[in-house]
Amino acid sequence: MTNSSLKNRKRVAKSLRDSRILLGVTGSVAAYKAIELIKGLKEQGASVRVVMTDASKNFVTPLSLQLASGEKVYGDLFGEPMSHISLPKDADIMVIAPATASIAAKAANGMADDLLSACLLSFRGRVVIAPAMNWRMYESPAFQRNLKRLIEDGAALVPPDKGLLACGEEGVGRMAAIGKIIEAIKSAVSPKDLLGEKILVTAGPTREYIDPVRFISNASTGKMGYAIARAAKRRGAEVTLISGPSAIEPPAGVGFIPVVTAIQMRDAVLGHLPGATVIVMAAAVGDFAPEAMGKRKLDKAAVSSIKLKKTPDILSELGAMKKRPLLIGFAAEFGEGRRGDGLKRARRKLIEKGADIIVFNDVSRKDSGFGADTNKVVMLLKGRGNDLPLMSKDEVAEAVLEEIHALRAKRKRF
Ligand code: CTP
């Protein structure tokens, strides 16, 4: 695939939802993992068609992949005439997972002697390639040369992980985790409409220590903030993620600053402020800290009360600045009606904290807020609100970035 062929792409899907993926499965032990990959892609709304090489059938059966994809599985160059043209024509993206040294050699040199290599040659879109092989083969000059050429031609590489290989040796060559491959596919189908933006995202809880082993914190897991950082990176932004303690792996390609307390988070935000065009405060910053921290573990019999002081309000501090980036805050509140007056409180925060957007997040529901994979939010902007249905946190992240993109475009115009 050449750069000019990249420009000639017929259609670019905006997200995995409704994307048509042509998945090539080749003869590596990791071929059975294609089942999990197909399921993961389908869960996110993509449709998947599979082309298998003959060698891959030693490791996974066509029937398993047919059942996972819900579609006929292809493999014979002459079985269905012109399928090497029609299958790629109907796809938004091609993914080779696992990719052997052999398919890389064919693709890098324009060979087309089986259905998959012929599809790769006729495809006019983005290719994502996830190699899997023994570390000696992976490091070989011939494979690295072919890989380099594929990347120069526009393919996106999902580098293999280091670990125990099928041959019993340790080394780089295990196919990347399915989550990483899906993230690379999402990135490949994503519009790069945030290119040039420098986005700071805060995420997770903060902790305020009472003594070396006890602290005050909250139930935030960081899922929402990490989803925003990943989505912003996919859309081409330069992203720095400032995170309180979280079990989530920092996204690849994102600057990562771990912090613990509210003061540390504030210092990290202010330290990265120069050049930032957007700040998303998704962190659940603790509002109180003990006035003093015990140097040693406090004896419970000696403690009857703990004096607290207020932590700095980072968003308000940013909102009060004369020249400031676009500011987005989150308000975790109890919903409306009998459950609370959260929306009103969130709208008040939009004004009082001087933000451009406050995302009201209904934490009175089990399927929304801290720890959940979905969120029920209302996006509040000056003079309007956008009530969104219950969505995955990844989808909420995309919706927030849509608004950010629109507001940034407006700012640039005026
Ligand atoms: N926030 C902040 N610094 C704080 C507290 C909150 O920057 N010390 C930010 C959060 O990251 C979030 C927004 O302010 O984007 C709203 O957070 P929330 O906890 O709902 O607001 P509080 O001001 O803490 O209000 P409440 O009295 O409801 O806790």
Side-chain angles (χ1 to χ4, degrees), residues 281 283 285-287 311-315 329-333 345 349 353:
M281 288 292 306
V285 188
D287 293 316
T311 57
D313 190 320
I314 308 168
L315 186 58
F330 273 72
E333 301 282 356
R345 287 168 52 85
K349 283 178 191 173
K353 297 200 179 211

Side-chain angles (χ1 to χ4, degrees), residues 56 65 71-72 74 80 83-85 101 114 125 167 180 191 230 258 292 358 379 392 400 409:
S56 73
L65 299 188
E71 301 245 11
K72 179 180 165 180
Y74 299 81
E80 218 167 281
S83 53
H84 64 297
I85 306 295
D114 62 12
C167 55
K180 281 191 197 160
R230 279 195 305 269
I358 285 282
M379 245 182 295
S392 73
V400 171

